[in-house]
C-alpha cells in the first residue's frame, strides 16, 4: 500500500492543468506570468538584503 500525499497530488494536478492550458509551452506560461505580474503595481513583499557579518580570520 503506497502512501498518498494530498499536497503532492494537488501540485501534480495543477502542473497538468498548466501544461494543458499552454499546450506544454513553458515560454508561453512564463510570458503569461510576467504579464499578470505587470498588472499588479502593488508591492507584494518587502525583503531587505541580508547583512553580512565580518568573518574571523584564522591564522
Amino acid at each position: 500500500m503506497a502512501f498518498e500525499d494530498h499536497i503532492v497530488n494537488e501540485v501534480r494536478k495543477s502542473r497538468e492543468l498548466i501544461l494543458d492550458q499552454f499546450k506544454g509551452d513553458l515560454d508561453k506560461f512564463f510570458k503569461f506570468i510576467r504579464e499578470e505580474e505587470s498588472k499588479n503595481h502593488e508591492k507584494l513583499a518587502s525583503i531587505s538584503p541580508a547583512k553580512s557579518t565580518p568573518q574571523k580570520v584564522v591564522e
Side-chain angles (χ1 to χ4, degrees):
M1 177 155 69
F3 175 75
E4 187 171 320
D5 188 322
H6 298 289
I7 294 173
V8 171
N9 290 341
E10 185 176 338
V11 169
R12 288 177 177 159
K13 183 177 178 183
S14 295
R15 179 188 62 204
E16 291 303 318
L17 290 172
I18 290 168
L19 288 173
D20 287 345
Q21 182 178 354
F22 295 96
K23 309 286 190 262
D25 188 338
L26 293 179
D27 288 331
K28 286 182 183 178
F29 170 66
F30 288 116
K31 182 180 178 186
F32 169 78
I33 293 296
R34 286 190 296 274
E35 288 170 356
E36 290 299 308
E37 287 176 335
S38 70
K39 291 178 187 177
N40 184 359
H41 301 290
E42 184 178 327
K43 192 169 186 174
L44 300 177
S46 174
I47 302 171
S48 55
K51 296 180 181 178
S52 62
T53 55
Q55 299 294 316
K56 188 184 245 185
V57 177
V58 179
E59 295 181 24

